[in-house]
Amino acid sequence: MARIQQSDATPVAKVSVDPVTLDIIENALRNARHEMDEVLFRTALSPGIREQHDEFPLIADPDGKMVVGQFGLSVPDFLAGFEGTIREGDVLLTSDPYACGAAISHANDWLIVLPIFHRGRLVGWASMFGHMSDVGGKTPSSMPSDARTIYEEGVVIPPFKLYDAGRLNEDALAVILNQVRMPDWNRADLNGLVAACRTAARRIGELCDRFGVDVYLSTLDALLERNYQAMKVLLATLFEDGETLEFTDWICDDGCGYGPYELTISLTRHGEKVHLDFGKAAPQAVGPVNYYINENLVRMFFGIYVITVADPQILWNDGFYPLIDVTIPDDSFWKPRRPAALNARNHGIGRVFDLFGGLLGQKNPEILNAAGFSSSPHFMYSGYRTSGDQAGEWFQLYSIGFGGIPGRPIGDGPDGHSLWPSFVNIPCEYLESYYPLRIERWETVADSGGPGLHRGGNAVDVAYRFAEPGTIAIHDDRWLTYPWGVNGGRPGARGRKWIARADGTTEVLPSKCHDVPVRPGDILHFVTWGGGGWGDPYQRDAALVGLEVRRGLVTSDGARDGYGVVCDANGIVDEAATAAARARLAAERGETPVFDMGPPLATILERCQAETGLPAPTPPVGVREALT
């Protein structure tokens, strides 16, 4: 357990804060959090952080409770796993999820935690983690799709002082950087994380100078209490006391041939509190899709979902945590036993939001979303250049793909977007300037969004033409199960991947693979999945469907089959034929289900080879059984 050294331990006086001061400090904290992002973006070298913004900051109070941030993590759990003293000028680093209570979730995430002192007194914490494009291990980008232990995934850094009272531990950093393929990138990204946290510390110091420590810390308490009170009202409004809700979704496979992994969450409200129970979780996965999730992160994800869909004006923080009880069983998909592999945990992170959506929306149709692009799929390409001025030099690309956002009560899901709102794509011009490839196609896939009164967002097809020999790796999901629709909406299309080889052959790829060789002229088609539809598609404006046919978002066949809209290839609607078709199709369909998950799982598995070109996965088993 960390021990904090303060030269001034005088108790802080709790004072009343007027609304204007509270508003000023709240927005100053919000600005400081965004300034952390900008400092990192301007100093990082890896495209994953610099271009796509795969990083997550926070500012916390002296107890480690997040007051403002993007993702949230558990500073208290990190401190519980750190043995030693912490004083002014210290900067702590780890990449070991098992040593910090899953404050981070895989070894590619390097986490910086920095104590903020003001005149000898601890007044808070700044923290930030970012995804390093490579941390060593057996495959470039450190995400082997068949890994069974974390030891295969690269260097795993235990919690330690990167800076001790302001002095850099150069020997330890040298040992760490000696394990990675792109040490210049890692050093720059790490320096950016530290600089971002120091920027936040400066801004907090300025607030303490301006308003005084008593006012500043009392404001943090007020912000946390405000969030607590708001969430208490939301929980009482959304859920009936004593009623239990349950919802199930799947992770398609684990990269080692096992799947699908059934993920079930139940929710019960008891008075002011709700209980989230992961007790029916799938067993610990053999492959690296395990998502070792921290109970506080469950609370954070749940709060983000509730607040965003119910009252987006609230600035979420850790204040509501006492209202959420969480149960996660050991040796499960959600809490694997060390040294389980974790590198592909991104699919579990995203599926949590689909699960929460299914839970919350069952009794609250006004906030029920369909399933969407609940992942952040990865594409990696690396090798040695063979020609030109850079012949012999190593190149390595890590990038995040986008897909269809779900149809929602308020409208259509965006096409080709990210699960995380702050993520952006790497521009084609950047990729073609710095990597030996060309983007042949970057476009939405017509009909991939689930039909509905509000259409699910379309998937994207990114076609990469390779100019140098190398290897590629892919991490994706939803190739087997479907992104479901709701309230009569249909499921979105599944994802798929294939290589059109330069010799004219085609190779279908699984959704999780690594070290796949490519040659000049080969084209990878990285097709993601669409979002599910919301509401009865036969109620959608036929003229709007025709417009989407003209725009290439829906085909004329898709308009007829999915929406009952009869139109030509130019989107010109035959109104009489459409009315007749819709009446017939609605009668044949009958009552619309709340959830349309697609065909039954047994049928999906039976048709798997014929529909996907890939063998069906083997049902999951206990890890120790699989390894013996």
Side-chain angles (χ1 to χ4, degrees):
M1 182 69 182
R3 300 181 299 279
I4 311 300
Q5 290 186 341
Q6 303 180 85
S7 60
D8 181 1
T10 306
V12 176
K14 189 170 180 62
V15 300
S16 177
V17 182
D18 65 86
V20 174
T21 300
L22 188 146
D23 191 56
I24 291 172
I25 293 177
E26 177 184 12
N27 282 282
L29 290 169
R30 194 196 307 261
N31 290 339
R33 166 255 185 272
H34 288 296
E35 190 177 0
M36 293 173 73
D37 289 335
E38 294 304 320
V39 168
L40 178 59
F41 300 156
R42 284 162 170 73
T43 53
L45 286 181
S46 70
I49 293 179
R50 183 182 184 88
E51 298 294 326
Q52 297 207 270
H53 305 170
D54 191 356
E55 50 74 37
F56 302 90
L58 73 79
I59 298 171
D61 74 354
D63 294 328
K65 298 176 184 175
M66 188 188 78
V67 181
V68 61
Q70 177 182 348
F71 188 100
L73 59 82
S74 178
V75 171
D77 283 311
F78 174 91
L79 298 176
F82 179 79
E83 294 296 332
T85 60
I86 296 178
R87 55 182 173 168
E88 190 166 2
D90 288 351
V91 178
L92 301 124
L93 167 66
T94 190
S95 69
D96 186 354
Y98 294 107
C100 61
I104 50 175
S105 53
H106 70 163
N108 285 77
D109 287 336
W110 285 13
L111 167 64
I112 289 293
V113 174
L114 183 150
I116 302 174
F117 287 84
H118 182 263
R119 299 176 184 173
R121 184 200 307 273
L122 181 71
V123 295
W125 301 85
S127 184
M128 196 176 212
F129 70 88
H131 179 104
M132 299 292 155
S133 292
D134 187 279
V135 294
K138 71 177 187 177
T139 189
S141 298
S142 313
M143 301 182 69
S145 58
D146 63 353
R148 299 187 177 212
T149 70
I150 197 170
Y151 306 124
E152 301 169 71
E153 300 174 343
V155 60
V156 181
I157 307 167
F160 84 104
K161 289 186 182 182
L162 179 65
Y163 286 84
D164 188 347
R167 183 173 181 178
L168 175 64
N169 189 334
E170 297 184 11
D171 290 340
L173 182 58
V175 170
I176 293 168
L177 295 180
N178 194 52
Q179 313 302 311
V180 307
R181 293 175 177 83
M182 302 287 287
D184 290 345
W185 282 14
N186 291 63
R187 183 187 293 274
D189 292 358
L190 179 61
N191 286 341
L193 292 169
V194 174
C197 290
R198 286 176 169 164
T199 298
R202 285 196 300 272
R203 299 296 174 254
I204 302 310
E206 292 165 0
L207 289 172
C208 290
D209 285 337
R210 179 179 178 184
F211 296 101
V213 172
D214 293 346
V215 171
Y216 173 73
L217 294 181
S218 295
T219 298
L220 301 191
D221 291 340
L223 292 173
L224 292 165
E225 175 63 17
R226 186 181 68 183
N227 209 259
Y228 176 91
Q229 295 298 333
M231 181 63 74
K232 186 165 64 174
V233 172
L234 287 175
L235 296 180
T237 302
L238 295 174
F239 307 110
E240 294 183 18
D241 195 9
E243 183 178 26
T244 297
L245 303 174
E246 186 174 279
F247 193 74
T248 298
D249 207 337
W250 292 268
I251 296 293
C252 294
D253 75 298
D254 67 353
C256 290
Y258 295 96
Y261 285 83
E262 182 176 325
L263 306 178
T264 299
I265 301 179
S266 68
L267 178 151
T268 306
R269 181 183 149 211
H270 301 287
E272 293 182 345
K273 304 176 69 174
V274 299
H275 177 215
L276 295 172
D277 188 356
F278 290 68
K280 293 184 179 180
Q284 176 178 319
V286 175
V289 298
N290 295 293
Y291 179 29
Y292 180 27
I293 190 170
N294 178 289
E295 283 83 355
N296 280 340
L297 280 180
V298 172
R299 296 179 176 97
M300 171 56 64
F301 287 158
F302 180 79
I304 289 174
Y305 195 95
V306 170
I307 290 171
T308 300
V309 301
D311 192 349
Q313 297 305 312
I314 298 175
L315 179 66
W316 68 73
N317 58 42
D318 288 1
F320 65 85
Y321 284 8
L323 294 168
I324 315 295
D325 292 329
V326 180
T327 299
I328 305 175
D330 293 331
D331 295 336
S332 69
F333 178 93
W334 305 105
K335 189 173 283 189
R337 182 183 303 183
R338 187 185 186 105
L342 303 172
N343 73 75
R345 90 287 178 243
N346 50 302
H347 311 304
I349 293 176
R351 206 66 85 250
V352 166
F353 290 98
D354 281 346
L355 288 164
F356 284 154
L359 273 177
L360 273 63
Q362 291 179 40
K363 297 291 184 178
N364 303 280
E366 69 277 7
I367 63 171
L368 176 60
N369 296 319
F373 194 56
S374 49
S375 184
S376 52
H378 305 325
F379 164 64
M380 289 78 84
Y381 171 43
S382 58
Y384 290 96
R385 296 181 185 269
T386 61
S387 60
D389 296 338
Q390 296 175 299
E393 291 186 10
W394 175 259
F395 65 87
Q396 185 168 327
L397 170 64
Y398 157 82
S399 66
I400 300 171
F402 295 168
I405 303 302
R408 302 161 293 169
I410 62 173
D412 296 345
D415 303 309
H417 209 284
S418 170
L419 166 69
W420 306 110
S422 64
F423 280 10
V424 296
N425 71 295
I426 303 177
C428 296
E429 295 82 359
Y430 181 101
L431 292 172
E432 294 180 345
S433 296
Y434 291 99
Y435 294 96
L437 54 77
R438 291 292 179 267
I439 306 300
E440 297 288 320
R441 175 185 301 171
W442 191 309
E443 61 188 30
T444 61
V445 180
D447 297 335
S448 57
L453 173 64
H454 299 151
R455 178 175 60 83
N458 277 341
V460 295
D461 177 3
V462 184
Y464 301 91
R465 180 186 292 272
F466 304 110
E468 290 278 16
T471 60
I472 63 170
I474 292 171
H475 276 272
D476 203 359
D477 203 60
R478 285 293 196 204
W479 66 275
L480 180 67
T481 63
Y482 288 83
W484 31 271
V486 297
N487 293 336
R490 303 267 195 85
R494 300 178 292 190
R496 51 203 173 95
K497 313 287 181 291
W498 74 92
I499 298 177
R501 297 288 185 183
D503 63 7
T505 60
T506 298
E507 179 180 352
V508 176
L509 297 179
S511 71
K512 302 169 185 69
C513 56
H514 70 270
D515 291 345
V516 177
V518 293
R519 303 291 299 174
D522 290 347
I523 300 176
L524 168 68
H525 285 267
F526 194 109
V527 179
T528 57
W529 74 83
W534 187 99
D536 186 351
Y538 304 145
Q539 299 298 316
R540 188 171 176 84
D541 183 3
L544 176 58
V545 175
L547 176 63
E548 291 186 322
V549 170
R550 291 196 294 278
R551 290 176 171 174
L553 301 172
V554 177
T555 65
S556 56
D557 288 343
R560 181 189 65 246
D561 298 337
Y563 300 91
V565 173
V566 180
C567 65
D568 60 21
N570 295 316
I572 305 301
V573 176
D574 184 328
E575 295 183 3
T578 294
R582 285 183 158 181
R584 174 180 54 81
L585 291 169
E588 293 173 355
R589 177 192 60 191
E591 186 176 352
T592 59
V594 176
F595 296 98
D596 186 345
M597 312 293 288
L601 188 58
T603 303
I604 290 175
L605 293 170
E606 180 183 342
R607 298 175 179 173
C608 180
Q609 182 74 50
E611 292 183 349
T612 70
L614 299 168
T618 300
V621 296
V623 169
R624 277 156 288 285
E625 178 185 347
L627 298 180
T628 57

